[in-house]
Amino acid sequence: MKTLQYLAGSLLSFLVPLHGMLIAVGCAIALDTFTGIFKSVKLRGWRSIQSRKLSDVAAKVLLYNTAVLSVYVMDHFLLSAFFKNWFSADYFFTKIISLALVVIELTSVKENFEAAYKKDLWKLLKSIVSRTREISSDISDLTH
């Protein structure tokens, strides 16, 4: 029994540097799932929600986490020495893969938003930034 506890503790301590990346990927998947459900309900109503489609989320979580874990193991044992010399960052390749997965999910979030509201998100953000600049310049003119 003690041997099993030592093995489990060793495995957990090996995976400690990975928890932040797994949380980031998990949060991105959760946000994508939430916006996907919102889009589906907004466009087609509550009856459009199906358990088969929601079970794809579990497969995505398993696939993404397995990919990050696999790259982490390769990064730890094979790639870390090379990338550390060039970039001076631990687990650089694992971070790049995690970032790519998060960007994929955030792109899907953007598409869900645009489909639900029929508005271009980038144009909306640009108009908000331009309004902020106008307000800032107006405040600056009032104070001088």
Side-chain angles (χ1 to χ4, degrees):
M1 187 65 178
K2 281 271 194 205
T3 306
L4 187 60
Q5 288 176 343
Y6 290 141
L7 285 174
S10 297
L11 180 63
L12 284 176
S13 66
F14 174 69
L15 297 175
V16 164
L18 193 59
H19 78 280
M21 291 175 264
L22 291 176
I23 289 172
V25 171
C27 288
I29 292 171
L31 185 62
D32 178 40
T33 303
F34 174 74
T35 59
I37 291 171
F38 178 77
K39 174 191 82 167
S40 182
V41 169
K42 185 160 174 67
L43 296 179
R44 294 185 296 272
W46 284 102
R47 293 192 183 258
S48 64
I49 304 298
Q50 299 174 356
S51 63
R52 184 184 56 79
K53 290 181 182 178
L54 287 175
S55 69
D56 291 343
V57 174
K60 184 190 295 188
V61 168
L62 182 65
L63 179 69
Y64 282 13
N65 286 336
T66 303
V68 172
L69 284 168
S70 300
V71 170
Y72 173 71
V73 170
M74 288 189 306
D75 204 2
H76 182 77
F77 290 112
L78 299 172
L79 303 171
S80 192
F82 299 117
F83 284 114
K84 190 146 182 136
N85 289 336
W86 293 333
F87 300 107
S88 69
D90 291 328
Y91 309 113
F92 181 77
F93 195 61
T94 307
K95 291 176 182 177
I96 293 297
I97 295 301
S98 298
L99 179 66
L101 294 173
V102 168
V103 166
I104 289 169
E105 292 303 303
L106 292 180
T107 302
S108 180
V109 168
K110 174 188 166 295
E111 291 168 354
N112 289 336
F113 176 84
E114 290 175 349
Y117 287 107
K118 309 253 189 289
K119 293 185 179 186
D120 186 13
L121 186 62
W122 296 122
K123 286 182 182 177
L124 184 64
L125 289 174
K126 285 180 184 178
S127 70
I128 290 171
V129 169
S130 68
R131 287 180 190 169
T132 304
R133 287 181 185 158
E134 290 173 8
I135 291 171
S136 175
S137 68
D138 289 347
I139 291 173
S140 177
D141 290 342
L142 289 174
T143 58
H144 290 283

